Amino acid sequence: MSDTTQTGPVLAADGTPLKRSLQRALRREKLRALLLIAPLLIFVLVTFIAPIADMLFRSVENDIVADTLPKTVVALKSWDFHSGEAPGEAVFAALAADLQVAVEAKTHTRLGSRLNYEKTGISSLFRKSGRKVKKWDLASDAPFREKFIKIDKDWGDVDVWRVIQTYSGKYTNGYFLNAIDMEKGPNGPQWRDESQQIYLMLLKRTMFLSITITLSCLLLGYPVAWLLSNIPMRTSNLLMILVLLPFWTSLLVRTSAWKVLLQQQGVINDVLVWVGLVADDNRLVMINNQFGTIIAMTHILLPFMILPLFSVMRTIPPTYLRAAKSLGATNWTAFWRVYFPQSIPGIGAGSILVFILSIGYYITPELVGGTTGVFISNRIAYHISSSLNWGLGAALGSILLLLVLVLYWLYDRIVGIDNVKLG
Amino acid sequence: MKSTNLLLAASALALLAPAANAIELTFVSWGGAYSKSQQLAYNDPYMAAHPDVTIINDESSPEAVAKLRAMNEAGNITWDIVDVVAADAIRLCDEGLAMEIDFDKDLAAAPDGTPATEDFGDLLVSDCFIPEIVYSTTFGYRTDLVGDTPPTKVCDVFDLKKYPGKRSLEKRPINNMEWALLCDGVPKDEVYDVLATEAGQDRAFKKLDTIKDSVIWWSSGSDTPQLLADGEVIMGSTYNGRLFSLIEEKKQPVAMLWDAQVFDLDGFIIPAGLPDDRKQAALDYVRFATDTQRLADQAKYIAYGPARKSSAPLVGKHADLGIDMAPHMPTDPNNAKNTFLYNYEWWADYRDDLDAKFQAWLAK
């Protein structure tokens, strides 16, 4: 008992303190683990995190004005638009110098398109001016103010200069303001004209439709998943193929099939007219509206609800239900008090999956949604691929991302994310 | 002996040479019948004349502008020749993503020696854009669903009393705003001046309001033909080539309403920043593909008009149907009695603003 009187640290066999020795072993272990997941980590970083970070950055980035017109931006600092007059000769001289460089590099038209998002007409203003300014001699052709205004009287427009000044910073919140139907006015942020407000409405509609689609997927998917998990394996495997079959068919084909079924001269209307439920001149409008979007997307996303539900339900022992009934519960009580609570993890997983998928859908709504059934993602797609306003597209995407994160957090608070199971 | 060896070596080299210098051109177009017409009229003859060139088809034209910009940012341009509509070409040129063309130097002259700039005339709407075809957006109607007096004027589209039923229009402001103003009594040459004002835009929206509930909005060129074939709409706008195929190839009871058809252009651009050898190869291809005979040849396979004046007399019969193609061209005098020219410059300025307003109006 007396040999434990040693007061120094506990030593390992090789004489180093045990604590340090253990730490070293642990560190080696951790490093090996890290190396093992490194390929995946790098892959996720490069293909997932980096693009998202890039998108978030694009929504505030605004280098183009200061990069293309460096001298003008500096000269414009002292100008105050409240004066009600276009800036003086110094600014125009700087503009002439900047434009000559920009025309050489062919960046002036790019800047024009960028500023045209904020004020209509700037695109052609820059294109037109670039052609003329190219031929000027900076040393001998001064003064430039009158010359610019002679090219286009818009150069004398205070509002054009205000836009250039407002967007001369390296970063801007303009895209985000735009994404919530606001703009940078002369006196700070202001609401856009009512005839141009659309994004908040689309955001609300996207939420509403996504929730509706999730609920209808749940309503349709729950009984199917229950059936699948309560019949013999062989039959359930066969039925599972039917659930998965839509996965193997092209999205466009499935969407077009809904068109054939739902349109006014389509199969369903024909049958209804033939049966006599609907008058021939009063056929139901079931497509090119919200109804069409809900139907088509519920069909497309249904497997994403059924699969997690099925895998959770399969793990619920049927004996529990029998036990509940033998103790006197009615069918409903047995289901509601015993079975349903155990299937909640599946409902959570399926709902999150369907909701997040539907919030970013745009092909199906574009084809069957008409004007009332399109999502905010349709506008994002438009800005990315057609108007090239990537900043606005990025801002809209960021807002959507934020919204999903908030909903995820809410879900975690209310239901608990540990309660989500995919099997 | 020596000379035989040399000869052998030389012939071996000659055999190897094409493989070593093989050029691959990535050709981006719209797919479908249109790509097929280009394959038959341009690509096959070009590859036959240049065995060392392989043309790889890509059907990315609908997303060409966004993809080219992404390629440019990544510094890796994989396309050599891109087929786009004029509005996209102007945007690409503005963004510095398309190469500027020296038309008289880079393009073939007409057979009679007329320089290219004159042969294409005012169809050269951008410094980067080589026009290929003239197409038009126009209306088709169901002959069996419009009663005894078929529509003859574009304004009949706005006349719900005379022609009750659904019509299909494109889900964007371009063309629809112009037609609305024309039918609200604005003279043709003042349309864009009126449309530039707030009051003019309201006026166009008011006119469109009168038929809004009877419109199915399309976003893909194949929508209107399908809607017409199914009888979902009694009339609708789309590209004239689509209607041609619906009427002549699919034999549907549909007729063309050429009135106030809006001319538009489609053609080639070459991406900016290509390495020199690829640039030369692309230029050589474009020079061949847009000469007088080749442009006329394309009209054998699809009902779009050649962009060169000198090609018009050479337009012959459809390759499969054997019908005369000239009367089906949007540029044919009988069809072009009343036409409308799309103002590219104007739309480049107003597109962002009006599109926002149009989408907000649609959603209301």
mmCIF file of all heavy atoms in Angstrom, chain B residues 270-289:
data_model
loop_
_atom_site.group_PDB
_atom_site.id
_atom_site.type_symbol
_atom_site.label_atom_id
_atom_site.label_comp_id
_atom_site.label_asym_id
_atom_site.label_seq_id
_atom_site.Cartn_x
_atom_site.Cartn_y
_atom_site.Cartn_z
ATOM 1 N N ILE B 270 -19.554 33.647 -82.154
ATOM 2 C CA ILE B 270 -18.372 32.880 -81.760
ATOM 3 C C ILE B 270 -17.943 33.421 -80.400
ATOM 4 O O ILE B 270 -17.808 34.639 -80.240
ATOM 5 C CB ILE B 270 -17.236 33.044 -82.791
ATOM 6 C CG1 ILE B 270 -17.690 32.475 -84.141
ATOM 7 C CG2 ILE B 270 -15.961 32.359 -82.320
ATOM 8 C CD1 ILE B 270 -16.727 32.727 -85.270
ATOM 9 N N PRO B 271 -17.783 32.552 -79.402
ATOM 10 C CA PRO B 271 -17.444 33.040 -78.068
ATOM 11 C C PRO B 271 -16.140 33.835 -78.075
ATOM 12 O O PRO B 271 -15.206 33.501 -78.822
ATOM 13 C CB PRO B 271 -17.289 31.759 -77.243
ATOM 14 C CG PRO B 271 -18.012 30.711 -78.000
ATOM 15 C CD PRO B 271 -17.934 31.092 -79.431
ATOM 16 N N ALA B 272 -16.066 34.868 -77.263
ATOM 17 C CA ALA B 272 -14.832 35.643 -77.156
ATOM 18 C C ALA B 272 -13.818 34.848 -76.352
ATOM 19 O O ALA B 272 -14.188 34.039 -75.505
ATOM 20 C CB ALA B 272 -15.120 36.972 -76.470
ATOM 21 N N GLY B 273 -12.546 35.072 -76.648
ATOM 22 C CA GLY B 273 -11.490 34.465 -75.847
ATOM 23 C C GLY B 273 -11.118 33.054 -76.238
ATOM 24 O O GLY B 273 -10.514 32.334 -75.444
ATOM 25 N N LEU B 274 -11.469 32.631 -77.467
ATOM 26 C CA LEU B 274 -11.031 31.308 -77.920
ATOM 27 C C LEU B 274 -9.550 31.371 -78.290
ATOM 28 O O LEU B 274 -9.078 32.399 -78.777
ATOM 29 C CB LEU B 274 -11.821 30.876 -79.158
ATOM 30 C CG LEU B 274 -13.262 30.422 -78.996
ATOM 31 C CD1 LEU B 274 -13.819 29.975 -80.331
ATOM 32 C CD2 LEU B 274 -13.368 29.298 -77.992
ATOM 33 N N PRO B 275 -8.807 30.272 -78.090
ATOM 34 C CA PRO B 275 -7.424 30.254 -78.591
ATOM 35 C C PRO B 275 -7.408 30.378 -80.112
ATOM 36 O O PRO B 275 -8.394 30.046 -80.778
ATOM 37 C CB PRO B 275 -6.901 28.896 -78.140
ATOM 38 C CG PRO B 275 -8.072 28.098 -77.724
ATOM 39 C CD PRO B 275 -9.153 29.064 -77.360
ATOM 40 N N ASP B 276 -6.302 30.852 -80.651
ATOM 41 C CA ASP B 276 -6.269 31.251 -82.053
ATOM 42 C C ASP B 276 -6.667 30.143 -83.033
ATOM 43 O O ASP B 276 -7.431 30.395 -83.972
ATOM 44 C CB ASP B 276 -4.875 31.776 -82.401
ATOM 45 C CG ASP B 276 -4.979 33.003 -83.286
ATOM 46 O OD1 ASP B 276 -5.975 33.749 -83.106
ATOM 47 O OD2 ASP B 276 -4.116 33.176 -84.150
ATOM 48 N N ASP B 277 -6.187 28.912 -82.805
ATOM 49 C CA ASP B 277 -6.486 27.857 -83.779
ATOM 50 C C ASP B 277 -7.973 27.530 -83.801
ATOM 51 O O ASP B 277 -8.572 27.353 -84.856
ATOM 52 C CB ASP B 277 -5.644 26.604 -83.475
ATOM 53 C CG ASP B 277 -5.818 26.130 -82.046
ATOM 54 O OD1 ASP B 277 -6.085 26.989 -81.176
ATOM 55 O OD2 ASP B 277 -5.694 24.917 -81.805
ATOM 56 N N ARG B 278 -8.585 27.513 -82.612
ATOM 57 C CA ARG B 278 -10.027 27.222 -82.572
ATOM 58 C C ARG B 278 -10.836 28.364 -83.167
ATOM 59 O O ARG B 278 -11.857 28.156 -83.815
ATOM 60 C CB ARG B 278 -10.462 26.937 -81.138
ATOM 61 C CG ARG B 278 -10.210 25.492 -80.732
ATOM 62 C CD ARG B 278 -10.436 25.280 -79.262
ATOM 63 N NE ARG B 278 -11.812 25.535 -78.854
ATOM 64 C CZ ARG B 278 -12.167 25.725 -77.585
ATOM 65 N NH1 ARG B 278 -11.269 25.695 -76.631
ATOM 66 N NH2 ARG B 278 -13.433 25.934 -77.275
ATOM 67 N N LYS B 279 -10.349 29.579 -82.930
ATOM 68 C CA LYS B 279 -11.043 30.738 -83.487
ATOM 69 C C LYS B 279 -11.051 30.669 -85.013
ATOM 70 O O LYS B 279 -12.079 30.890 -85.657
ATOM 71 C CB LYS B 279 -10.362 32.019 -82.998
ATOM 72 C CG LYS B 279 -11.100 33.267 -83.346
ATOM 73 C CD LYS B 279 -10.536 34.439 -82.591
ATOM 74 C CE LYS B 279 -9.646 35.268 -83.482
ATOM 75 N NZ LYS B 279 -8.953 36.337 -82.751
ATOM 76 N N GLN B 280 -9.868 30.343 -85.588
ATOM 77 C CA GLN B 280 -9.780 30.250 -87.048
ATOM 78 C C GLN B 280 -10.704 29.157 -87.577
ATOM 79 O O GLN B 280 -11.394 29.336 -88.583
ATOM 80 C CB GLN B 280 -8.332 29.961 -87.479
ATOM 81 C CG GLN B 280 -7.387 31.147 -87.301
ATOM 82 C CD GLN B 280 -7.953 32.435 -87.862
ATOM 83 O OE1 GLN B 280 -8.623 32.442 -88.895
ATOM 84 N NE2 GLN B 280 -7.742 33.541 -87.160
ATOM 85 N N ALA B 281 -10.729 28.021 -86.878
ATOM 86 C CA ALA B 281 -11.587 26.919 -87.313
ATOM 87 C C ALA B 281 -13.055 27.327 -87.276
ATOM 88 O O ALA B 281 -13.826 27.054 -88.202
ATOM 89 C CB ALA B 281 -11.340 25.694 -86.434
ATOM 90 N N ALA B 282 -13.443 28.031 -86.213
ATOM 91 C CA ALA B 282 -14.826 28.468 -86.081
ATOM 92 C C ALA B 282 -15.177 29.469 -87.175
ATOM 93 O O ALA B 282 -16.245 29.390 -87.799
ATOM 94 C CB ALA B 282 -15.054 29.078 -84.696
ATOM 95 N N LEU B 283 -14.253 30.389 -87.424
ATOM 96 C CA LEU B 283 -14.505 31.387 -88.466
ATOM 97 C C LEU B 283 -14.642 30.728 -89.836
ATOM 98 O O LEU B 283 -15.496 31.106 -90.644
ATOM 99 C CB LEU B 283 -13.368 32.414 -88.498
ATOM 100 C CG LEU B 283 -13.508 33.571 -87.510
ATOM 101 C CD1 LEU B 283 -12.233 34.395 -87.476
ATOM 102 C CD2 LEU B 283 -14.696 34.446 -87.879
ATOM 103 N N ASP B 284 -13.801 29.733 -90.070
ATOM 104 C CA ASP B 284 -13.853 29.046 -91.354
ATOM 105 C C ASP B 284 -15.201 28.341 -91.524
ATOM 106 O O ASP B 284 -15.821 28.389 -92.591
ATOM 107 C CB ASP B 284 -12.711 28.022 -91.438
ATOM 108 C CG ASP B 284 -12.584 27.455 -92.834
ATOM 109 O OD1 ASP B 284 -12.315 28.247 -93.752
ATOM 110 O OD2 ASP B 284 -12.783 26.228 -93.004
ATOM 111 N N TYR B 285 -15.680 27.724 -90.440
ATOM 112 C CA TYR B 285 -16.980 27.057 -90.497
ATOM 113 C C TYR B 285 -18.091 28.067 -90.779
ATOM 114 O O TYR B 285 -18.943 27.855 -91.645
ATOM 115 C CB TYR B 285 -17.250 26.319 -89.183
ATOM 116 C CG TYR B 285 -18.676 25.845 -89.088
ATOM 117 C CD1 TYR B 285 -19.039 24.612 -89.629
ATOM 118 C CD2 TYR B 285 -19.674 26.637 -88.513
ATOM 119 C CE1 TYR B 285 -20.356 24.186 -89.597
ATOM 120 C CE2 TYR B 285 -20.984 26.218 -88.476
ATOM 121 C CZ TYR B 285 -21.320 24.997 -89.013
ATOM 122 O OH TYR B 285 -22.627 24.574 -88.992
ATOM 123 N N VAL B 286 -18.059 29.160 -90.044
ATOM 124 C CA VAL B 286 -19.129 30.150 -90.166
ATOM 125 C C VAL B 286 -19.155 30.750 -91.579
ATOM 126 O O VAL B 286 -20.216 30.983 -92.157
ATOM 127 C CB VAL B 286 -18.943 31.242 -89.087
ATOM 128 C CG1 VAL B 286 -19.744 32.472 -89.438
ATOM 129 C CG2 VAL B 286 -19.348 30.715 -87.734
ATOM 130 N N ARG B 287 -17.972 30.960 -92.137
ATOM 131 C CA ARG B 287 -17.874 31.500 -93.488
ATOM 132 C C ARG B 287 -18.575 30.569 -94.478
ATOM 133 O O ARG B 287 -19.308 31.006 -95.361
ATOM 134 C CB ARG B 287 -16.389 31.637 -93.849
ATOM 135 C CG ARG B 287 -16.148 32.367 -95.150
ATOM 136 C CD ARG B 287 -14.656 32.304 -95.481
ATOM 137 N NE ARG B 287 -14.378 33.049 -96.679
ATOM 138 C CZ ARG B 287 -14.182 34.367 -96.712
ATOM 139 N NH1 ARG B 287 -14.218 35.047 -95.604
ATOM 140 N NH2 ARG B 287 -13.955 34.990 -97.843
ATOM 141 N N PHE B 288 -18.364 29.256 -94.268
ATOM 142 C CA PHE B 288 -18.997 28.269 -95.140
ATOM 143 C C PHE B 288 -20.510 28.202 -94.903
ATOM 144 O O PHE B 288 -21.304 28.270 -95.840
ATOM 145 C CB PHE B 288 -18.353 26.898 -94.875
ATOM 146 C CG PHE B 288 -19.041 25.755 -95.561
ATOM 147 C CD1 PHE B 288 -18.740 25.421 -96.877
ATOM 148 C CD2 PHE B 288 -19.996 24.999 -94.884
ATOM 149 C CE1 PHE B 288 -19.378 24.363 -97.501
ATOM 150 C CE2 PHE B 288 -20.638 23.939 -95.510
ATOM 151 C CZ PHE B 288 -20.329 23.622 -96.825
ATOM 152 N N ALA B 289 -20.880 28.109 -93.641
ATOM 153 C CA ALA B 289 -22.288 27.851 -93.311
ATOM 154 C C ALA B 289 -23.201 29.014 -93.664
ATOM 155 O O ALA B 289 -24.388 28.817 -93.921
ATOM 156 C CB ALA B 289 -22.420 27.516 -91.824
#
